[in-house]
Structures are given as C-alpha cells and as structure tokens.
Amino acid sequence: MNIAIIKYNAGNIRSVEFALQRLGIQAEITADPERIKSADKVIFPGVGEAFNTMKYLREHKLDELIVSLKQPVLGICLGLQLMCRHSEEGDTECLGIFDEEVKRFINVREENGYKVPQMGWNTISGLQTMLFDASLDNPYVYFVHSYYATIGSHTIATTQYTQSFSAALHKNNFYATQFHPEKSGPVGAQILKNFIEL
Amino acid sequence: MLAKRIIPCLDIKDGQTVKGVNFLDIKNVGDPVELGALYAQQGADELVFLDITASHEKRKTLVELVQRIARHINIPFTVGGGVSELADADALLAAGCDKLSINSAVVRNPKLIDQMANGFGSQFVVVAIDAKLDCGKWTVFVNGGRIATDKELFTWAKEAESRGAGEILFTSMNHDGVKTGFACEAIAQLSESLSIPVIASGGAGSMEHFKDVFTYGKADAGLAASIFHFKEIAIPDLKKYLADQGITMRI
C-alpha cells in the first residue's frame, strides 16, 4: 500500500508519519504531484495559518491537485479547514471540497470558562462512515484549534465546545478530522487504521 | 466537554529523567522515552520534557531525543529547556515536537514569542514561567529558578499571551517539590485573567491537590513529576478519583 503525506509549509507532518509507522505502515512525505496522484491513500495534514498556507498551496498548484484526487484523502486539523469553502482566518477562500464555513471560536471565557484555542481532549459523537467503527463509542480525541467548521450536510462527527461543530467531515473520497488522530492515543490509531483500510 | 489534562513532567539531564526538590538536589529516576510511553499507556493526557540544565549550560535540547519520543509516543508532548533561537525551534518541530516550552530566552527577548507564534503558530508556543511569591509579590525567575528578574508574574503572563503564546505553564517555586498543594490562588488569578489555557505546576502531593487546582485553581491542566515517578500516585487512580469528584477526565 502506497500512502502519501502531502508535504507543504505546515508544521509537524512527521507526527503523522510516525503514527503510521506505529501501525506498521511506511508512508512517504512528498510534494511530487505524480507520487501524490498515484498513491493509494493521501493524507493532508496541517498545523498553521489558513491564509498563508492557501497561498502556498496555490503557488505550488497543490490546490488543484488536492481537489482532483480520486483516492481516499484524509485532511487533518488545518487540512480539514482548508478543504472547506472559506475560513474566517485571514478571510481566506479555501479548496471548497466541503460547503462548511470555518469560523473562529468566540471567546466566552467569562461566562463559561471556554478558552481559545481549544486545547486538549474532547469527545466526538454522532459518528458516521467507516472512518469510525462501532468500537468507538463517543471517544476522547486530541484537539488544538482556534477555528472550527460549522455543522452541515458533510458532518460525520460533532464535538461540543462553545457550541457544536464538525469534528469530522466526509464527501465522496474526501475525509477530514479537526482533531489529531496521530496524537489521540489508541483511539486515534484506530481511526488512522480505519482510513488506511477504506 | 473538554477534559482537564493530567501532565507528567519529565525533567531531563544527560538523557535521563530527574526531579529536583526546589530545583536543587537532583535525583535520577529513569529513561525518558520508556517512562513517557508508560505514562501515555496509563492515561497521561500529555507529556512535558524539560531539559532542566540546558539553559544553564547553554546546551541545545537534544533533537535526537525528541525524534525518539515522537516515534514512540502517541499523545502530544512539549519539549523545553535552553531553546533560545528560532533555528532551535525549527529543528525541534521538524523532529516531531508538538509544542515548545520557552522560559528564560523569552524573558530576555520577549519578541521571540511573536516570532515563534508567527513562524510556527501559537499552538506550538508554551511560555513557561517560574515565579516565587515574596512579600506579596510574584517575581519571575529565569535559568531554572536561579536568577530573579524585574518581571511580575501576572503582567508577564498577560504580555506573553498578547505576543502570541498558546499556553502558560506556571510553576510556583514556593510550592515546587514541597507536595503541599498547588498555588491555587495565583493559578486562579492567572486563569481568569488569560484567555489561553493555564498549566499549573508545583506542589502536587495528593489526589486532592489536583481536585483543588482544577476547581479553586481553575487550571486547564495539572502538571507533576515526582509523585508519578516515585509511584506515589498512579495516573489511572488519580483520573478515576477526579472523575468521581465531577471533574471532566478522559478515562
């Protein structure tokens, strides 16, 4: 099995590579369009800022490439946000795979103790698709984010933080998680494994 | 609901974990990667690896160790100690580090917080603050608690936040290693004055101390070292106790 992790100007891509290695899977971190196109599965990870990252993707024509992929693709964190239509972060036009809008958490700390970013372990529920098998019962997964995707027709998991938001999205061959499966212990490993086995 | 986090801290010297009592009299307690993996398995929510001698000896944090940790551990981890340049941060990020804890370097050069937040994102930047309460004032110390500065805890934390810190790791030097409980009052004040998460450190000696720091102290995460290293409190027991007390825990 050929797994490509898209290499771009985002942070901590190696964590995904290491997480796959722990599952006994050797992935390739690459920006080569041909390698990405011919891979069995593609992972689009990301930690960073939306505007500059989209700019980078456009400059390197990775935006067109990602949208055109036919094999299962998994976006992670910023990857999910960039696969949406638009992000409030830098008022950025994104890839538009999912119709959902990306908004900033409004800090309502004074009333409810919410902080921004949401940093830490929260539960996901309403789980749909094969990304989440039946053994995953409202599990805790690890989040670090200040922006979230709204809930829409592509939502396959939700999380509650200041309000309900999309913890995962799915449309055709495209999957995405706002949380970091590569950092979410055994639960995250299971979700990565489920993606690989799609 | 977002869970409160339990974070074992592994202080590292010469590749081994150690725990100082009030930052002095250092004792050896094991291999950091092995210990970290064990904690992750037991339910630790995150890990912090601090190279406690790095800043004093001007030694770079070991990139190799970070890579070994990243390969083996499936939960987030923070690395700190002696990081003073963007290039160091870049190397650690590339090695697989999730967050960087910076302390002395940003007290001397606060703009480094802006640069790191802009370069790598706020989520990568944990500003660690060691402070000591003396005559009603919390004074910030650097170089592993060796040197007092003219900074005051609350104003410095606020500045760090406004410069782009993603989290504050506050260690009360009065409480560290003494095991009589966290500095809950100061932690609550910090947590209420900031909109970013606060990790409380220094003073954990019992399970009740964690309950106090999450309730009265309003901390987002509780950090401890020796009680875990010396098996005085097992993480599964601690998390079960806190959950029973009505505190949201990942179990």
Side-chain angles (χ1 to χ4, degrees):
Chain A
M1 170 118 33
N2 229 329
I3 313 284
I5 299 171
I6 300 177
K7 183 181 179 181
Y8 66 113
N9 66 332
N12 218 354
I13 285 175
R14 304 220 56 194
S15 294
V16 178
E17 183 195 8
F18 291 149
L20 292 171
Q21 277 177 11
R22 289 193 291 268
L23 292 169
I25 299 158
Q26 197 62 45
E28 184 186 15
I29 299 177
T30 177
D32 180 348
E34 293 311 313
R35 307 291 293 223
I36 294 170
K37 267 189 238 170
S38 65
D40 298 309
K41 301 273 160 44
V42 175
I43 298 181
F44 177 41
V47 173
E49 189 269 335
F51 185 82
N52 288 309
T53 308
M54 266 316 293
K55 191 162 163 258
Y56 180 95
L57 293 179
R58 285 200 185 95
E59 283 166 4
H60 293 76
K61 302 217 182 318
L62 285 166
D63 58 333
E64 293 163 19
L65 174 72
I66 293 167
V67 173
S68 72
L69 292 172
K70 298 285 180 275
Q71 65 276 59
V73 177
L74 177 66
I76 297 174
C77 194
L78 182 65
L80 173 143
Q81 297 178 7
L82 296 180
M83 285 159 81
C84 291
R85 186 172 55 81
H86 174 267
S87 173
E88 278 186 2
E89 188 174 26
D91 190 15
T92 306
E93 288 305 319
C94 299
L95 298 170
I97 293 165
F98 306 120
D99 304 329
E100 284 71 13
E101 174 80 1
V102 177
K103 298 184 169 187
R104 193 172 204 282
F105 283 124
I106 294 164
N107 187 350
V108 286
R109 179 179 58 79
E110 279 161 33
E111 300 97 75
N112 296 309
Y114 289 114
K115 297 192 173 182
V116 180
Q118 168 173 229
M119 190 176 283
W121 299 79
N122 205 335
T123 50
I124 49 175
S125 53
L127 308 181
Q128 296 169 42
T129 78
M130 298 297 283
L131 200 57
F132 307 108
D133 57 276
S135 72
L136 301 170
D137 181 23
N138 295 352
Y140 275 98
V141 289
Y142 188 79
F143 290 89
V144 184
H145 61 131
S146 298
Y147 293 80
Y148 66 92
T150 53
I151 290 179
S153 58
H154 303 113
T155 303
I156 54 165
T158 64
T159 291
Q160 179 72 33
Y161 193 71
T162 76
Q163 73 257 303
S164 270
F165 68 89
S166 289
L169 294 165
H170 167 243
K171 183 186 175 187
N172 305 327
N173 57 317
F174 293 99
Y175 295 79
T177 64
Q178 179 58 64
F179 55 90
H180 289 271
E182 76 278 17
K183 287 286 160 183
S184 296
V187 168
Q190 183 63 45
I191 292 168
L192 281 176
K193 191 163 175 280
N194 292 346
F195 172 73
I196 297 302
E197 289 171 358
L198 279 174
Chain B
M1 248 173 83
L2 184 66
K4 300 284 189 183
R5 288 171 280 157
I6 299 294
I7 307 180
C9 177
L10 293 81
D11 289 351
I12 296 175
K13 186 171 184 273
D14 303 324
Q16 294 288 307
T17 57
V18 291
K19 177 60 194 171
V21 176
N22 281 334
F23 288 85
L24 296 168
D25 187 23
I26 287 162
K27 286 177 195 165
N28 206 333
V29 286
D31 172 56
V33 180
E34 224 172 278
L35 196 54
L38 179 71
Y39 287 143
Q41 202 180 34
Q42 290 179 344
D45 296 304
E46 264 181 71
L47 298 169
V48 171
F49 297 87
L50 287 179
D51 199 334
I52 53 169
T53 56
S55 144
H56 182 56
E57 293 170 358
K58 306 287 177 202
R59 183 163 44 79
K60 305 288 184 210
T61 308
L62 294 171
V63 168
E64 271 177 27
L65 177 65
V66 168
Q67 205 175 103
R68 205 155 67 86
I69 297 164
R71 275 184 197 282
H72 289 95
I73 291 174
N74 60 8
I75 59 169
F77 68 96
T78 302
V79 171
V83 173
S84 57
E85 291 169 25
L86 280 176
D88 298 341
D90 207 17
L92 291 170
L93 181 66
C97 167
D98 297 299
K99 306 180 194 182
L100 194 65
S101 163
I102 38 179
N103 189 333
S104 309
V106 292
V107 171
R108 294 196 189 95
N109 175 20
K111 279 185 185 151
L112 192 59
I113 300 173
D114 305 67
Q115 291 166 351
M116 287 194 179
N118 289 334
F120 314 114
S122 287
Q123 85 293 328
F124 187 62
V125 184
V126 180
V127 171
I129 306 177
D130 298 333
K132 196 181 202 171
L133 180 64
D134 194 18
C135 302
K137 189 187 167 214
W138 283 96
T139 301
V140 175
F141 279 67
V142 292
N143 284 44
R146 291 179 191 90
I147 302 169
T149 70
D150 58 0
K151 290 200 189 298
E152 187 268 340
L153 168 66
F154 301 102
T155 46
W156 171 230
K158 197 77 197 161
E159 182 182 342
E161 177 186 42
S162 67
R163 286 182 181 276
E167 256 179 322
I168 299 291
L169 195 181
F170 163 53
T171 301
S172 163
M173 294 170 63
N174 304 72
H175 297 75
D176 194 63
V178 188
K179 299 190 179 181
T180 52
F182 291 91
C184 287
E185 207 176 309
I187 293 160
Q189 195 180 330
L190 259 189
S191 190
E192 283 175 342
S193 68
L194 302 174
S195 64
I196 54 175
V198 173
I199 304 167
S201 160
S206 71
M207 298 204 275
E208 204 177 3
H209 294 156
F210 282 92
K211 184 187 98 182
D212 292 344
V213 84
F214 290 134
T215 54
Y216 310 129
K218 300 184 174 166
D220 298 284
L223 180 144
S226 54
I227 54 157
F228 299 133
H229 304 329
F230 296 117
K231 301 188 174 71
E232 290 163 30
I233 295 177
I235 293 171
D237 297 343
L238 173 62
K239 292 183 91 172
K240 186 181 180 303
Y241 163 82
L242 292 171
D244 289 344
Q245 302 296 312
I247 295 163
T248 309
M249 284 282 128
R250 175 182 70 108
I251 292 181

